[in-house]
Amino acid sequence: MTSSSPASSEGNTAAARSVAWVVTTQDAPWQEQEPLGFGRLAGMPNVMVDVANPQQTVDGIGGCFNELGWTALGLLSEEDREGILSDLFTPGAGLNLSLCRMPVGANDFSTDWYSYDEVDGDFDLEHFSIDHDRATLVPFIQAAQRYQGDLRLWASPWSPPTWMKTNGHYAAARPWAGSDVDNGIRDDQLGSEGTDLFILEDRYLETYARYFARFVEAYGEEGIRVEMVMPQNEFNSAQVFPSCVWTAEGLARFIAVLGPEMDRLGVRVFLGTQERPHDAQIETVLQDPSAGPWVAGVGFQWAGKGAIAAVHHDHPDLALYQTEQECGDGRNDWRFVRHTWGLMRHFFTRGAQAYTYWNLALTEGGVSRWGWAQNSLVVVDPEARTFRYTHEYFLMRHLGHFLQPGAQRLATMSWTGHENLLAFRNPDGGVVLVMQNDLGEPLPVQIVVGDDVITPTLPADSFATLVIPPA
């Protein structure tokens, strides 16, 4: 058990309070520690938490509803499946996932390609249908809603219907060499960054905006409200799986049409998802007089992390979301959870108001229809019909489990290089600290939070969450 300094004998109020904390190491996840008392400052503190100047409000923590997640969970017993869903979504139980993502049609972790209307030239959308989703995404989301009744959702497509694209194909790139994957694309159908694969004609733009509206309405009829949409996942990337490259100018033309259609339904439009470090692309859309006024926020993922700071600086009142956890390689190892922590710190300290993990669940190895092995919060053994929680599940729990709706990030400062933490203040006045000790030995640290001083010793190579109650 880790040690801590004794509580000060001079503060009866402080002595009545204590700090709950939990630690995760590679071999021992989620170990509750003996409560910490409060002490007195001894020399220079290692970390100072600024409680007087709160930063952004956290809109939510979530993940993405993918088809392969539901088919993986479907291999388990009902008891195991419901237990996992409760751990992921029940407020106060596990991860507290509350703001989640879903695809509009197929994405790269769907069972295969599909859209809601593949009838060529169906500008009236007479053949529009979400019937495909009623076997996977609809029951997946409805199952989550049973545990989180206030679940919030946003959505983005990976590809429009193929007949709305210049290449007539759902993808834009050849399969990786040696992947044994076939997506059927021809050389003359390949896309490239900096071009528009969507047919930028008014009739197509207007139909695609109504396609979004039909999607929102159809899901609404299933009791699933979509509160926000982004026009395209990774709009710069030509991929082997469903994808569609757009220029910033092309996106601006579409958003100018999409915005009013979504406004009619009370749905916000964010720009994204941005997967390049090109804040100039964001500015192009924001400054467009027909598109900019409809953009309520921006979503960033992957190399888009290089653009979020500039956008936050130039538009401090614009909502900014991290939209997809980098995916890993299916090994779900401790090395990658350390990388994940770095991503979480990067996005939150640069203004992100939401953090979205990617695959909620996958079978062992996590290989998609298009040959990409990825990580997940839950791994299902398809032969034994058993499951396990991954390192990233516990890291996400170190954050989401303790944050209340309306929590605000707090800035921290260190003169001694102890920068490896995130701090938040909950609406009840309690402060949540999430810290990493990346050393191979225990790390004693003295932390000042307002008038409180705590001195935990963090175990070697660990993550810890400390919850300081309101004074």
Side-chain angles (χ1 to χ4, degrees):
M1 191 67 65
T2 51
S3 62
S4 64
S5 63
S8 169
S9 61
E10 298 183 2
N12 291 332
T13 301
R17 299 163 62 231
S18 62
V19 177
W21 65 309
V22 62
V23 167
T24 288
T25 64
Q26 182 172 3
D27 298 322
W30 206 255
Q31 297 296 304
E32 295 183 1
Q33 309 294 296
E34 291 290 342
L36 289 171
F38 295 91
R40 288 185 291 184
L41 188 63
M44 180 183 293
N46 300 122
V47 176
M48 292 162 282
V49 181
D50 184 359
V51 298
N53 299 288
Q55 305 297 301
Q56 75 269 24
T57 298
V58 178
D59 217 7
I61 306 296
C64 189
F65 291 100
N66 295 329
E67 283 198 297
L68 293 188
W70 186 242
T71 59
L73 293 177
L75 297 172
L76 300 173
S77 69
E78 181 179 359
E79 180 181 4
D80 283 348
R81 182 170 59 254
E82 294 300 315
I84 290 168
L85 291 167
S86 179
D87 281 344
L88 294 177
F89 294 102
T90 298
L95 266 66
N96 276 339
L97 300 184
S98 61
L99 176 60
C100 289
R101 181 181 186 180
M102 65 173 298
V104 180
N107 66 6
D108 51 321
F109 271 71
S110 295
T111 54
D112 208 333
W113 161 249
Y114 70 97
S115 80
Y116 300 132
D117 191 341
E118 279 297 295
V119 177
D120 192 5
D122 185 16
F123 292 102
D124 292 329
L125 299 178
E126 293 179 355
H127 299 276
F128 181 96
S129 173
I130 66 164
D131 281 350
H132 178 101
D133 292 0
R134 291 193 172 95
T136 50
L137 294 178
V138 169
F140 197 177
I141 296 168
Q142 289 175 337
Q145 287 177 317
R146 292 200 301 272
Y147 296 97
Q148 173 50 275
D150 295 324
L151 182 66
R152 299 166 57 201
L153 289 164
W154 65 271
S156 67
W158 268 244
S159 175
T162 55
W163 58 274
M164 296 185 186
K165 298 173 69 175
T166 60
N167 70 343
H169 197 281
Y170 68 80
R174 297 184 188 90
W176 302 293
S179 66
D180 295 325
V181 169
D182 180 17
N183 65 1
I185 200 167
R186 304 188 308 266
D187 288 348
D188 64 326
Q189 293 176 309
L190 299 175
S192 59
E193 186 167 347
T195 63
D196 287 290
L197 272 183
F198 190 86
I199 301 173
L200 293 175
E201 297 176 9
D202 290 346
R203 184 168 60 162
Y204 286 89
L205 293 167
E206 292 165 2
T207 301
Y208 197 31
R210 286 188 287 108
Y211 180 92
F212 272 72
R214 292 285 297 275
F215 160 76
V216 171
E217 291 167 339
Y219 264 87
E221 292 172 359
E222 301 291 335
I224 298 170
R225 169 168 157 70
V226 176
E227 68 172 47
M228 180 267 284
V229 296
M230 299 193 195
Q232 175 63 49
N233 178 71
E234 298 181 352
F235 64 86
N236 293 285
S237 297
Q239 303 277 23
V240 60
F241 45 77
S243 55
C244 185
V245 291
W246 298 68
T247 62
E249 293 79 7
L251 277 179
R253 285 190 60 184
F254 180 49
I255 290 173
V257 181
L258 179 66
E261 191 70 19
M262 292 296 96
D263 186 61
R264 177 179 64 83
L265 299 174
V267 175
R268 296 177 297 159
V269 175
F270 277 30
L271 174 57
T273 61
Q274 172 61 280
E275 83 291 23
R276 296 286 185 266
H278 303 330
D279 55 286
Q281 291 181 326
I282 306 299
E283 286 300 320
T284 295
V285 179
L286 293 177
Q287 298 305 319
D288 185 284
S290 298
W294 296 111
V295 177
V298 183
F300 303 86
Q301 60 196 54
W302 290 88
K305 61 181 176 283
I308 187 171
V311 176
H312 184 50
H313 177 272
D314 293 342
H315 304 277
D317 297 326
L318 191 65
L320 305 179
Y321 283 10
Q322 178 272 5
T323 48
E324 182 183 300
Q325 165 70 47
E326 292 182 19
C327 306
D329 54 10
R331 297 177 183 175
N332 295 287
D333 55 15
W334 189 251
R335 177 197 65 83
F336 198 82
V337 80
R338 291 163 62 96
H339 176 66
T340 296
W341 166 247
L343 293 173
M344 293 168 71
R345 284 193 61 243
H346 178 95
F347 279 101
F348 276 118
T349 58
R350 287 157 179 80
Q353 294 169 251
Y355 196 90
T356 310
Y357 192 80
W358 179 226
N359 287 295
L360 297 175
L362 290 173
T363 53
E364 195 74 55
V367 180
S368 76
R369 148 72 175 86
W370 290 276
W372 190 355
Q374 296 188 358
N375 289 359
S376 57
L377 298 177
V378 179
V379 172
V380 174
D381 183 327
E383 302 299 327
R385 303 295 177 104
T386 57
F387 73 94
R388 71 178 191 277
Y389 291 122
T390 65
H391 296 308
E392 287 175 279
Y393 165 89
F394 288 104
L395 177 58
M396 291 289 290
R397 187 173 178 178
H398 269 279
L399 181 69
H401 181 77
F402 299 99
L403 294 188
Q404 301 168 1
Q408 294 176 294
R409 188 180 70 84
L410 299 175
T412 63
M413 183 173 67
S414 175
W415 291 321
T416 56
H418 294 74
E419 304 280 2
N420 207 354
L421 78 159
L422 288 168
F424 302 88
R425 183 171 65 193
N426 281 324
D428 68 2
V431 173
V432 177
L433 304 178
V434 187
M435 307 185 70
Q436 182 194 27
N437 174 14
D438 59 359
L439 302 176
E441 59 190 37
L443 176 67
V445 58
Q446 184 173 226
I447 307 167
V448 176
V449 184
D451 296 327
D452 292 325
V453 179
I454 58 174
T455 57
T457 296
L458 308 180
D461 194 13
S462 67
F463 297 100
T465 299
L466 301 99
V467 182
I468 302 168

